[in-house]
Amino acid sequence: MKIGVISDIHSNSVALDAVLSQPDIQSADTIYCAGDLVGYYSRPNEVVERICKERIPSVMGNHDNAVVESTPSSFSLHAKRAVDWNRRSLTETNLGFLDALPLRIREIVSNRDLLVVHGSPKNPLSEYIFKEDVDELFLDFYFDVPPDVIVMGHTHQPFVKSVRNTLVVNPGSVGQPRDRDPRASYGIIDLDSLNCRIHRVEYDIEKIAEDTSRELPKALSDRLYEGR
Amino acid sequence: MMFEEPTYLIQFGYSGQTLVRRAMEDDYADGVILSPSDYEYGDTISLARDVNRNDGVVLFDPQYYIPRTERPASNSYPYFKQSGGDDFETVVVTNNKNRRELCEQIWEVQNEIDVDAYIAPARFLDTFSDTKLTQWELLTKTFVEVVEDKDPGAKIFASLPVAGASINDDEQRSKLLDIVTKVDLTGFYVSVEYPRYRQNPIFGFEEVKAYLDLLKNLRYNWYDVVLGHSDQIAHLGFGLGINAFGSGHYKNTRAFDTDRWIPQDSGGGSAGVYWYYSEPLMNEMQVEQDMQALYSSNSFSLDKLRLKNPTSPFARELFVREPEDPEWTYKNDSWDHYIWSCHQIAKEYRGLTLEERITRTQENLRNAAEVYSEIEETIGPRENIQSEIYEDWTAAFDSTLSDRDINVIGRVMP
């Protein structure tokens, strides 16, 4: 059984549409999203509606939380502006959808114990977990019984790592990659062999950049071209 | 006309009140552009009184285009306290009632400071989308309405904070000009933001040309123009018949730089200045990399630099001894000298016709290129600053001014 994993879409529906049009993700049995559907870019309603339409189980990210709760002072200037604007632009229905997102998903899929969070297992909204943080200590610290698969987002940096019998995946960011590769990032996990492949897909950056710059700081658009 | 002759206004924060007072008392500045992030409200009022007592011009840039600042001084101003900091949302600008209230508060603050002309709050225009331009227009017009109600006949400057990348596009620049020149006011307080690597100083023929074209067209339309946070480029501005520039930081070579107000930015605009110029740097448009390289070279002669500016009252104090450290020895007087040097720029263009100003600008550009050549011969090509920069400035300046332009701008001059 194969599952698609996506994260950090950040209101970039152009990138999301490109990812969801890929044959390998279309043929996946199901798709999970590790949070941050909104923030930063200009199409929050389109993203939420596509996620609903495709019935993609999602967790809440820190930007989703900021939009439904309040804008944190710790956010950067541009992130704050974008969160404020996203909040004002979202329909009540879509805000309600974001508000109802769970902080974590843990379920059995094809006999595999799967955990999806945005940040870390103990701080699902805000903690950053990078590839180098993932080791046996990581598993021991966060779990009594580690799951078979852990999917996290938040860092916008994709990685795949196996520790003992656990596969740890960050699919990278759909809407705002930060690993100097501007292409949208997603992952396909093979639950049978417990492997994951990260895929990158080009999309029309100019389309979302222009759309965003009409309302939001241009710097948010500029960074998309550089993948940072 | 607000500014009848070339004028230098100090834009200086961070405990710089003493410097400002000294410059005004000793007559090497013509006034100030104050801002809410520099001093607390009470200090600003007090400083403004002192500047006024010395017959200086007082302007106050409300800096509402830099929202969400966490600088403590800003929160001492009523409008920032209520509509700034973390509570700020751009919706303030689009809601009629909120916008009017904001503008009234900003008017009250400027009235209390007793400014010589009001500066409107402004939407930061990093792109010229219809939405952003409409918000700029609404905010500016509302402020103008408030001033006309409260203080009929007062002089008003619109704030025009724009991104350099956006004005480079001819079509976009025209779109901007079409909108902003619809507003009836005294003039524009212009600040153009460039990426940091392009700021010290701005380079590139197209970039300089676009900037000058914007200024020229504002002048064409009989608007007074104040160049915010500028120094070296002021030469080109004066050559275009513009009569006022503000600066107070040696890195403000052409930009107002919103990024430096981000709280996490450790630079914060307050980094110490360790490099300085004893020759009139603005007159010859040198950049600090040149000076640092000169200092580092074996053939460096401190006297050579020092002797080139015998008229500065501060130059002798800048370099008391041959520095042994790999950086200039920092002297407090360097700030006084900087302010004095900026004032010299304004003074050298006073009493000149437009044609004479143009000639003076062109001479200064040639001098800058020659000095650069001398430096290049002595220490080799500079890594960060290309010699083309001077050619770019000259070419951009020359291409901006046709005979027709000179005739039109000549008529606008006081």
Side-chain angles (χ1 to χ4, degrees), chain B residues 201-204 232 284-287 290 364-373 375 382 385-396:
Chain B
I202 176 181
F203 60 88
Q232 292 149 313
E284 298 189 353
M285 281 165 280
Q286 288 304 296
V287 291
D290 292 345
N364 283 328
L365 285 166
R366 272 196 299 276
N367 288 342
E370 282 171 19
V371 171
Y372 182 86
S373 297
I375 292 171
R382 311 304 337 122
I385 301 300
Q386 305 299 317
S387 59
E388 291 79 20
I389 199 168
Y390 303 107
E391 293 163 19
D392 287 344
W393 282 37
T394 302

PDB file of all heavy atoms in Angstrom, chain B residues 201-204 232 284-287 290 364-373 375 382 385-396:
ATOM      1  N   PRO B 201      26.773  52.178  -2.732  1.00  0.00           N
ATOM      2  CA  PRO B 201      25.536  52.883  -3.089  1.00  0.00           C
ATOM      3  C   PRO B 201      24.763  52.071  -4.119  1.00  0.00           C
ATOM      4  O   PRO B 201      25.210  51.006  -4.524  1.00  0.00           O
ATOM      5  CB  PRO B 201      26.082  54.160  -3.717  1.00  0.00           C
ATOM      6  CG  PRO B 201      27.342  53.710  -4.390  1.00  0.00           C
ATOM      7  CD  PRO B 201      27.901  52.598  -3.552  1.00  0.00           C
ATOM      8  N   ILE B 202      23.631  52.603  -4.549  1.00  0.00           N
ATOM      9  CA  ILE B 202      22.861  51.965  -5.615  1.00  0.00           C
ATOM     10  C   ILE B 202      23.742  51.869  -6.865  1.00  0.00           C
ATOM     11  O   ILE B 202      24.534  52.757  -7.149  1.00  0.00           O
ATOM     12  CB  ILE B 202      21.590  52.775  -5.935  1.00  0.00           C
ATOM     13  CG1 ILE B 202      20.844  52.147  -7.116  1.00  0.00           C
ATOM     14  CG2 ILE B 202      21.917  54.218  -6.192  1.00  0.00           C
ATOM     15  CD1 ILE B 202      19.584  52.902  -7.507  1.00  0.00           C
ATOM     16  N   PHE B 203      23.614  50.784  -7.601  1.00  0.00           N
ATOM     17  CA  PHE B 203      24.354  50.676  -8.852  1.00  0.00           C
ATOM     18  C   PHE B 203      23.445  50.101  -9.931  1.00  0.00           C
ATOM     19  O   PHE B 203      22.371  49.571  -9.644  1.00  0.00           O
ATOM     20  CB  PHE B 203      25.612  49.806  -8.684  1.00  0.00           C
ATOM     21  CG  PHE B 203      25.327  48.399  -8.251  1.00  0.00           C
ATOM     22  CD1 PHE B 203      25.076  47.407  -9.177  1.00  0.00           C
ATOM     23  CD2 PHE B 203      25.317  48.067  -6.900  1.00  0.00           C
ATOM     24  CE1 PHE B 203      24.816  46.104  -8.775  1.00  0.00           C
ATOM     25  CE2 PHE B 203      25.061  46.769  -6.490  1.00  0.00           C
ATOM     26  CZ  PHE B 203      24.807  45.783  -7.425  1.00  0.00           C
ATOM     27  N   GLY B 204      23.917  50.221 -11.147  1.00  0.00           N
ATOM     28  CA  GLY B 204      23.142  49.737 -12.284  1.00  0.00           C
ATOM     29  C   GLY B 204      22.483  50.897 -13.013  1.00  0.00           C
ATOM     30  O   GLY B 204      21.737  51.669 -12.409  1.00  0.00           O
ATOM     31  N   GLN B 232      24.637  60.297  -1.082  1.00  0.00           N
ATOM     32  CA  GLN B 232      25.365  60.501  -2.330  1.00  0.00           C
ATOM     33  C   GLN B 232      24.440  60.831  -3.505  1.00  0.00           C
ATOM     34  O   GLN B 232      24.751  61.673  -4.333  1.00  0.00           O
ATOM     35  CB  GLN B 232      26.168  59.237  -2.646  1.00  0.00           C
ATOM     36  CG  GLN B 232      27.274  59.033  -1.651  1.00  0.00           C
ATOM     37  CD  GLN B 232      27.550  57.556  -1.445  1.00  0.00           C
ATOM     38  OE1 GLN B 232      26.631  56.782  -1.255  1.00  0.00           O
ATOM     39  NE2 GLN B 232      28.807  57.183  -1.497  1.00  0.00           N
ATOM     40  N   GLU B 284      32.543  63.572  -3.570  1.00  0.00           N
ATOM     41  CA  GLU B 284      33.238  62.756  -4.557  1.00  0.00           C
ATOM     42  C   GLU B 284      32.648  61.350  -4.624  1.00  0.00           C
ATOM     43  O   GLU B 284      33.192  60.473  -5.280  1.00  0.00           O
ATOM     44  CB  GLU B 284      34.727  62.726  -4.228  1.00  0.00           C
ATOM     45  CG  GLU B 284      35.306  64.134  -4.303  1.00  0.00           C
ATOM     46  CD  GLU B 284      36.808  64.153  -4.201  1.00  0.00           C
ATOM     47  OE1 GLU B 284      37.385  63.094  -3.942  1.00  0.00           O
ATOM     48  OE2 GLU B 284      37.374  65.228  -4.380  1.00  0.00           O
ATOM     49  N   MET B 285      31.569  61.164  -3.904  1.00  0.00           N
ATOM     50  CA  MET B 285      30.800  59.926  -3.989  1.00  0.00           C
ATOM     51  C   MET B 285      31.629  58.669  -3.787  1.00  0.00           C
ATOM     52  O   MET B 285      31.575  57.724  -4.560  1.00  0.00           O
ATOM     53  CB  MET B 285      30.030  59.871  -5.300  1.00  0.00           C
ATOM     54  CG  MET B 285      28.796  60.708  -5.199  1.00  0.00           C
ATOM     55  SD  MET B 285      28.050  61.055  -6.772  1.00  0.00           S
ATOM     56  CE  MET B 285      29.096  62.386  -7.328  1.00  0.00           C
ATOM     57  N   GLN B 286      32.408  58.697  -2.760  1.00  0.00           N
ATOM     58  CA  GLN B 286      33.179  57.505  -2.445  1.00  0.00           C
ATOM     59  C   GLN B 286      32.337  56.521  -1.638  1.00  0.00           C
ATOM     60  O   GLN B 286      31.316  56.874  -1.065  1.00  0.00           O
ATOM     61  CB  GLN B 286      34.419  57.891  -1.639  1.00  0.00           C
ATOM     62  CG  GLN B 286      35.445  58.590  -2.482  1.00  0.00           C
ATOM     63  CD  GLN B 286      35.833  57.739  -3.665  1.00  0.00           C
ATOM     64  OE1 GLN B 286      36.396  56.673  -3.484  1.00  0.00           O
ATOM     65  NE2 GLN B 286      35.503  58.185  -4.855  1.00  0.00           N
ATOM     66  N   VAL B 287      32.784  55.330  -1.588  1.00  0.00           N
ATOM     67  CA  VAL B 287      32.088  54.325  -0.787  1.00  0.00           C
ATOM     68  C   VAL B 287      33.058  53.742   0.226  1.00  0.00           C
ATOM     69  O   VAL B 287      34.266  53.775   0.027  1.00  0.00           O
ATOM     70  CB  VAL B 287      31.521  53.207  -1.684  1.00  0.00           C
ATOM     71  CG1 VAL B 287      30.395  53.750  -2.527  1.00  0.00           C
ATOM     72  CG2 VAL B 287      32.605  52.619  -2.545  1.00  0.00           C
ATOM     73  N   ASP B 290      36.070  51.482  -0.554  1.00  0.00           N
ATOM     74  CA  ASP B 290      37.282  52.099  -1.083  1.00  0.00           C
ATOM     75  C   ASP B 290      38.185  52.541   0.054  1.00  0.00           C
ATOM     76  O   ASP B 290      39.391  52.356   0.029  1.00  0.00           O
ATOM     77  CB  ASP B 290      36.924  53.338  -1.915  1.00  0.00           C
ATOM     78  CG  ASP B 290      36.191  52.954  -3.188  1.00  0.00           C
ATOM     79  OD1 ASP B 290      36.220  51.768  -3.556  1.00  0.00           O
ATOM     80  OD2 ASP B 290      35.596  53.852  -3.798  1.00  0.00           O
ATOM     81  N   ASN B 364      30.977  66.643 -10.367  1.00  0.00           N
ATOM     82  CA  ASN B 364      31.154  65.776  -9.195  1.00  0.00           C
ATOM     83  C   ASN B 364      31.224  64.304  -9.585  1.00  0.00           C
ATOM     84  O   ASN B 364      31.977  63.533  -9.002  1.00  0.00           O
ATOM     85  CB  ASN B 364      30.022  66.002  -8.194  1.00  0.00           C
ATOM     86  CG  ASN B 364      30.211  67.287  -7.412  1.00  0.00           C
ATOM     87  OD1 ASN B 364      31.333  67.690  -7.146  1.00  0.00           O
ATOM     88  ND2 ASN B 364      29.118  67.940  -7.062  1.00  0.00           N
ATOM     89  N   LEU B 365      30.432  63.946 -10.584  1.00  0.00           N
ATOM     90  CA  LEU B 365      30.476  62.564 -11.057  1.00  0.00           C
ATOM     91  C   LEU B 365      31.828  62.251 -11.694  1.00  0.00           C
ATOM     92  O   LEU B 365      32.400  61.185 -11.487  1.00  0.00           O
ATOM     93  CB  LEU B 365      29.345  62.316 -12.055  1.00  0.00           C
ATOM     94  CG  LEU B 365      27.954  62.173 -11.445  1.00  0.00           C
ATOM     95  CD1 LEU B 365      26.876  62.269 -12.519  1.00  0.00           C
ATOM     96  CD2 LEU B 365      27.828  60.842 -10.722  1.00  0.00           C
ATOM     97  N   ARG B 366      32.341  63.201 -12.470  1.00  0.00           N
ATOM     98  CA  ARG B 366      33.671  62.999 -13.077  1.00  0.00           C
ATOM     99  C   ARG B 366      34.737  62.884 -11.991  1.00  0.00           C
ATOM    100  O   ARG B 366      35.617  62.030 -12.046  1.00  0.00           O
ATOM    101  CB  ARG B 366      34.005  64.165 -14.010  1.00  0.00           C
ATOM    102  CG  ARG B 366      33.500  63.976 -15.431  1.00  0.00           C
ATOM    103  CD  ARG B 366      34.166  64.933 -16.403  1.00  0.00           C
ATOM    104  NE  ARG B 366      33.918  66.327 -16.078  1.00  0.00           N
ATOM    105  CZ  ARG B 366      32.816  66.988 -16.458  1.00  0.00           C
ATOM    106  NH1 ARG B 366      31.887  66.382 -17.161  1.00  0.00           N
ATOM    107  NH2 ARG B 366      32.646  68.248 -16.135  1.00  0.00           N
ATOM    108  N   ASN B 367      34.641  63.747 -10.979  1.00  0.00           N
ATOM    109  CA  ASN B 367      35.616  63.688  -9.882  1.00  0.00           C
ATOM    110  C   ASN B 367      35.575  62.331  -9.194  1.00  0.00           C
ATOM    111  O   ASN B 367      36.613  61.760  -8.857  1.00  0.00           O
ATOM    112  CB  ASN B 367      35.312  64.772  -8.844  1.00  0.00           C
ATOM    113  CG  ASN B 367      35.646  66.154  -9.361  1.00  0.00           C
ATOM    114  OD1 ASN B 367      36.388  66.273 -10.336  1.00  0.00           O
ATOM    115  ND2 ASN B 367      35.094  67.176  -8.729  1.00  0.00           N
ATOM    116  N   ALA B 368      34.363  61.849  -8.983  1.00  0.00           N
ATOM    117  CA  ALA B 368      34.221  60.557  -8.302  1.00  0.00           C
ATOM    118  C   ALA B 368      34.897  59.458  -9.104  1.00  0.00           C
ATOM    119  O   ALA B 368      35.598  58.605  -8.557  1.00  0.00           O
ATOM    120  CB  ALA B 368      32.747  60.239  -8.104  1.00  0.00           C
ATOM    121  N   ALA B 369      34.681  59.497 -10.421  1.00  0.00           N
ATOM    122  CA  ALA B 369      35.284  58.471 -11.277  1.00  0.00           C
ATOM    123  C   ALA B 369      36.808  58.575 -11.246  1.00  0.00           C
ATOM    124  O   ALA B 369      37.518  57.566 -11.213  1.00  0.00           O
ATOM    125  CB  ALA B 369      34.765  58.629 -12.703  1.00  0.00           C
ATOM    126  N   GLU B 370      37.323  59.814 -11.228  1.00  0.00           N
ATOM    127  CA  GLU B 370      38.776  59.992 -11.210  1.00  0.00           C
ATOM    128  C   GLU B 370      39.377  59.501  -9.900  1.00  0.00           C
ATOM    129  O   GLU B 370      40.414  58.838  -9.882  1.00  0.00           O
ATOM    130  CB  GLU B 370      39.119  61.472 -11.416  1.00  0.00           C
ATOM    131  CG  GLU B 370      38.997  61.895 -12.870  1.00  0.00           C
ATOM    132  CD  GLU B 370      39.127  63.402 -13.041  1.00  0.00           C
ATOM    133  OE1 GLU B 370      39.649  64.078 -12.130  1.00  0.00           O
ATOM    134  OE2 GLU B 370      38.675  63.898 -14.096  1.00  0.00           O
ATOM    135  N   VAL B 371      38.724  59.846  -8.804  1.00  0.00           N
ATOM    136  CA  VAL B 371      39.229  59.386  -7.509  1.00  0.00           C
ATOM    137  C   VAL B 371      39.213  57.867  -7.461  1.00  0.00           C
ATOM    138  O   VAL B 371      40.150  57.227  -6.974  1.00  0.00           O
ATOM    139  CB  VAL B 371      38.387  59.978  -6.358  1.00  0.00           C
ATOM    140  CG1 VAL B 371      38.770  59.340  -5.033  1.00  0.00           C
ATOM    141  CG2 VAL B 371      38.580  61.469  -6.291  1.00  0.00           C
ATOM    142  N   TYR B 372      38.160  57.301  -8.024  1.00  0.00           N
ATOM    143  CA  TYR B 372      38.095  55.836  -8.037  1.00  0.00           C
ATOM    144  C   TYR B 372      39.261  55.260  -8.839  1.00  0.00           C
ATOM    145  O   TYR B 372      39.882  54.274  -8.435  1.00  0.00           O
ATOM    146  CB  TYR B 372      36.764  55.353  -8.626  1.00  0.00           C
ATOM    147  CG  TYR B 372      36.679  53.851  -8.602  1.00  0.00           C
ATOM    148  CD1 TYR B 372      36.223  53.200  -7.471  1.00  0.00           C
ATOM    149  CD2 TYR B 372      37.115  53.086  -9.676  1.00  0.00           C
ATOM    150  CE1 TYR B 372      36.188  51.821  -7.413  1.00  0.00           C
ATOM    151  CE2 TYR B 372      37.085  51.708  -9.632  1.00  0.00           C
ATOM    152  CZ  TYR B 372      36.614  51.079  -8.496  1.00  0.00           C
ATOM    153  OH  TYR B 372      36.592  49.716  -8.438  1.00  0.00           O
ATOM    154  N   SER B 373      39.550  55.909  -9.965  1.00  0.00           N
ATOM    155  CA  SER B 373      40.670  55.428 -10.787  1.00  0.00           C
ATOM    156  C   SER B 373      41.973  55.483 -10.011  1.00  0.00           C
ATOM    157  O   SER B 373      42.800  54.580 -10.090  1.00  0.00           O
ATOM    158  CB  SER B 373      40.800  56.281 -12.051  1.00  0.00           C
ATOM    159  OG  SER B 373      39.650  56.145 -12.815  1.00  0.00           O
ATOM    160  N   ILE B 375      42.334  55.293  -6.821  1.00  0.00           N
ATOM    161  CA  ILE B 375      42.312  54.211  -5.830  1.00  0.00           C
ATOM    162  C   ILE B 375      42.614  52.877  -6.509  1.00  0.00           C
ATOM    163  O   ILE B 375      43.378  52.064  -6.011  1.00  0.00           O
ATOM    164  CB  ILE B 375      40.936  54.163  -5.130  1.00  0.00           C
ATOM    165  CG1 ILE B 375      40.744  55.402  -4.265  1.00  0.00           C
ATOM    166  CG2 ILE B 375      40.800  52.899  -4.274  1.00  0.00           C
ATOM    167  CD1 ILE B 375      39.340  55.550  -3.700  1.00  0.00           C
ATOM    168  N   ARG B 382      38.387  47.038  -6.957  1.00  0.00           N
ATOM    169  CA  ARG B 382      37.651  46.711  -5.747  1.00  0.00           C
ATOM    170  C   ARG B 382      36.729  45.531  -6.023  1.00  0.00           C
ATOM    171  O   ARG B 382      36.137  45.418  -7.090  1.00  0.00           O
ATOM    172  CB  ARG B 382      36.804  47.893  -5.254  1.00  0.00           C
ATOM    173  CG  ARG B 382      37.516  49.207  -5.164  1.00  0.00           C
ATOM    174  CD  ARG B 382      38.777  49.245  -4.308  1.00  0.00           C
ATOM    175  NE  ARG B 382      38.867  48.235  -3.303  1.00  0.00           N
ATOM    176  CZ  ARG B 382      39.883  47.382  -3.261  1.00  0.00           C
ATOM    177  NH1 ARG B 382      40.832  47.418  -4.156  1.00  0.00           N
ATOM    178  NH2 ARG B 382      39.940  46.496  -2.319  1.00  0.00           N
ATOM    179  N   ILE B 385      32.818  47.053  -5.358  1.00  0.00           N
ATOM    180  CA  ILE B 385      32.360  48.215  -6.105  1.00  0.00           C
ATOM    181  C   ILE B 385      33.060  48.241  -7.456  1.00  0.00           C
ATOM    182  O   ILE B 385      34.277  48.290  -7.536  1.00  0.00           O
ATOM    183  CB  ILE B 385      32.669  49.509  -5.332  1.00  0.00           C
ATOM    184  CG1 ILE B 385      31.988  49.487  -3.973  1.00  0.00           C
ATOM    185  CG2 ILE B 385      32.236  50.734  -6.131  1.00  0.00           C
ATOM    186  CD1 ILE B 385      30.483  49.377  -4.030  1.00  0.00           C
ATOM    187  N   GLN B 386      32.295  48.196  -8.494  1.00  0.00           N
ATOM    188  CA  GLN B 386      32.852  48.214  -9.837  1.00  0.00           C
ATOM    189  C   GLN B 386      32.967  49.651 -10.325  1.00  0.00           C
ATOM    190  O   GLN B 386      32.139  50.500  -9.996  1.00  0.00           O
ATOM    191  CB  GLN B 386      31.940  47.427 -10.784  1.00  0.00           C
ATOM    192  CG  GLN B 386      31.666  46.014 -10.339  1.00  0.00           C
ATOM    193  CD  GLN B 386      32.929  45.171 -10.252  1.00  0.00           C
ATOM    194  OE1 GLN B 386      33.777  45.236 -11.125  1.00  0.00           O
ATOM    195  NE2 GLN B 386      33.064  44.411  -9.190  1.00  0.00           N
ATOM    196  N   SER B 387      33.996  49.868 -11.143  1.00  0.00           N
ATOM    197  CA  SER B 387      34.194  51.236 -11.637  1.00  0.00           C
ATOM    198  C   SER B 387      33.014  51.687 -12.484  1.00  0.00           C
ATOM    199  O   SER B 387      32.743  52.872 -12.606  1.00  0.00           O
ATOM    200  CB  SER B 387      35.485  51.326 -12.437  1.00  0.00           C
ATOM    201  OG  SER B 387      35.432  50.437 -13.520  1.00  0.00           O
ATOM    202  N   GLU B 388      32.276  50.703 -13.051  1.00  0.00           N
ATOM    203  CA  GLU B 388      31.130  51.066 -13.896  1.00  0.00           C
ATOM    204  C   GLU B 388      30.077  51.875 -13.135  1.00  0.00           C
ATOM    205  O   GLU B 388      29.250  52.545 -13.728  1.00  0.00           O
ATOM    206  CB  GLU B 388      30.451  49.805 -14.455  1.00  0.00           C
ATOM    207  CG  GLU B 388      31.258  49.043 -15.464  1.00  0.00           C
ATOM    208  CD  GLU B 388      32.326  48.182 -14.818  1.00  0.00           C
ATOM    209  OE1 GLU B 388      32.203  47.877 -13.609  1.00  0.00           O
ATOM    210  OE2 GLU B 388      33.304  47.848 -15.498  1.00  0.00           O
ATOM    211  N   ILE B 389      30.157  51.773 -11.823  1.00  0.00           N
ATOM    212  CA  ILE B 389      29.133  52.460 -11.043  1.00  0.00           C
ATOM    213  C   ILE B 389      29.100  53.951 -11.373  1.00  0.00           C
ATOM    214  O   ILE B 389      28.042  54.561 -11.486  1.00  0.00           O
ATOM    215  CB  ILE B 389      29.355  52.217  -9.536  1.00  0.00           C
ATOM    216  CG1 ILE B 389      28.097  52.519  -8.764  1.00  0.00           C
ATOM    217  CG2 ILE B 389      30.475  53.051  -8.961  1.00  0.00           C
ATOM    218  CD1 ILE B 389      28.170  52.026  -7.326  1.00  0.00           C
ATOM    219  N   TYR B 390      30.278  54.520 -11.550  1.00  0.00           N
ATOM    220  CA  TYR B 390      30.324  55.959 -11.815  1.00  0.00           C
ATOM    221  C   TYR B 390      29.848  56.260 -13.234  1.00  0.00           C
ATOM    222  O   TYR B 390      29.175  57.260 -13.472  1.00  0.00           O
ATOM    223  CB  TYR B 390      31.737  56.484 -11.562  1.00  0.00           C
ATOM    224  CG  TYR B 390      32.188  56.179 -10.150  1.00  0.00           C
ATOM    225  CD1 TYR B 390      33.131  55.199  -9.891  1.00  0.00           C
ATOM    226  CD2 TYR B 390      31.611  56.848  -9.073  1.00  0.00           C
ATOM    227  CE1 TYR B 390      33.511  54.898  -8.591  1.00  0.00           C
ATOM    228  CE2 TYR B 390      31.982  56.548  -7.777  1.00  0.00           C
ATOM    229  CZ  TYR B 390      32.933  55.570  -7.532  1.00  0.00           C
ATOM    230  OH  TYR B 390      33.285  55.271  -6.257  1.00  0.00           O
ATOM    231  N   GLU B 391      30.218  55.372 -14.145  1.00  0.00           N
ATOM    232  CA  GLU B 391      29.718  55.548 -15.521  1.00  0.00           C
ATOM    233  C   GLU B 391      28.198  55.399 -15.550  1.00  0.00           C
ATOM    234  O   GLU B 391      27.505  56.123 -16.253  1.00  0.00           O
ATOM    235  CB  GLU B 391      30.353  54.512 -16.445  1.00  0.00           C
ATOM    236  CG  GLU B 391      31.845  54.703 -16.626  1.00  0.00           C
ATOM    237  CD  GLU B 391      32.500  53.458 -17.195  1.00  0.00           C
ATOM    238  OE1 GLU B 391      31.791  52.613 -17.770  1.00  0.00           O
ATOM    239  OE2 GLU B 391      33.731  53.332 -17.038  1.00  0.00           O
ATOM    240  N   ASP B 392      27.696  54.440 -14.773  1.00  0.00           N
ATOM    241  CA  ASP B 392      26.242  54.230 -14.724  1.00  0.00           C
ATOM    242  C   ASP B 392      25.524  55.484 -14.236  1.00  0.00           C
ATOM    243  O   ASP B 392      24.506  55.888 -14.787  1.00  0.00           O
ATOM    244  CB  ASP B 392      25.897  53.080 -13.769  1.00  0.00           C
ATOM    245  CG  ASP B 392      26.256  51.722 -14.347  1.00  0.00           C
ATOM    246  OD1 ASP B 392      26.482  51.652 -15.563  1.00  0.00           O
ATOM    247  OD2 ASP B 392      26.310  50.750 -13.575  1.00  0.00           O
ATOM    248  N   TRP B 393      26.076  56.059 -13.187  1.00  0.00           N
ATOM    249  CA  TRP B 393      25.433  57.250 -12.636  1.00  0.00           C
ATOM    250  C   TRP B 393      25.445  58.386 -13.654  1.00  0.00           C
ATOM    251  O   TRP B 393      24.446  59.064 -13.846  1.00  0.00           O
ATOM    252  CB  TRP B 393      26.150  57.699 -11.349  1.00  0.00           C
ATOM    253  CG  TRP B 393      25.794  56.891 -10.148  1.00  0.00           C
ATOM    254  CD1 TRP B 393      25.552  55.549 -10.104  1.00  0.00           C
ATOM    255  CD2 TRP B 393      25.638  57.365  -8.818  1.00  0.00           C
ATOM    256  NE1 TRP B 393      25.260  55.164  -8.823  1.00  0.00           N
ATOM    257  CE2 TRP B 393      25.310  56.259  -8.002  1.00  0.00           C
ATOM    258  CE3 TRP B 393      25.749  58.614  -8.214  1.00  0.00           C
ATOM    259  CZ2 TRP B 393      25.090  56.369  -6.638  1.00  0.00           C
ATOM    260  CZ3 TRP B 393      25.534  58.727  -6.848  1.00  0.00           C
ATOM    261  CH2 TRP B 393      25.203  57.613  -6.069  1.00  0.00           C
ATOM    262  N   THR B 394      26.593  58.556 -14.297  1.00  0.00           N
ATOM    263  CA  THR B 394      26.708  59.635 -15.281  1.00  0.00           C
ATOM    264  C   THR B 394      25.752  59.392 -16.443  1.00  0.00           C
ATOM    265  O   THR B 394      25.010  60.297 -16.847  1.00  0.00           O
ATOM    266  CB  THR B 394      28.159  59.707 -15.814  1.00  0.00           C
ATOM    267  OG1 THR B 394      29.021  59.917 -14.702  1.00  0.00           O
ATOM    268  CG2 THR B 394      28.325  60.840 -16.803  1.00  0.00           C
ATOM    269  N   ALA B 395      25.765  58.175 -16.963  1.00  0.00           N
ATOM    270  CA  ALA B 395      24.906  57.863 -18.115  1.00  0.00           C
ATOM    271  C   ALA B 395      23.436  58.014 -17.745  1.00  0.00           C
ATOM    272  O   ALA B 395      22.638  58.556 -18.519  1.00  0.00           O
ATOM    273  CB  ALA B 395      25.178  56.448 -18.596  1.00  0.00           C
ATOM    274  N   ALA B 396      23.072  57.554 -16.542  1.00  0.00           N
ATOM    275  CA  ALA B 396      21.670  57.643 -16.122  1.00  0.00           C
ATOM    276  C   ALA B 396      21.260  59.108 -15.957  1.00  0.00           C
ATOM    277  O   ALA B 396      20.177  59.514 -16.386  1.00  0.00           O
ATOM    278  CB  ALA B 396      21.466  56.888 -14.809  1.00  0.00           C
TER     279      ALA B 396
END
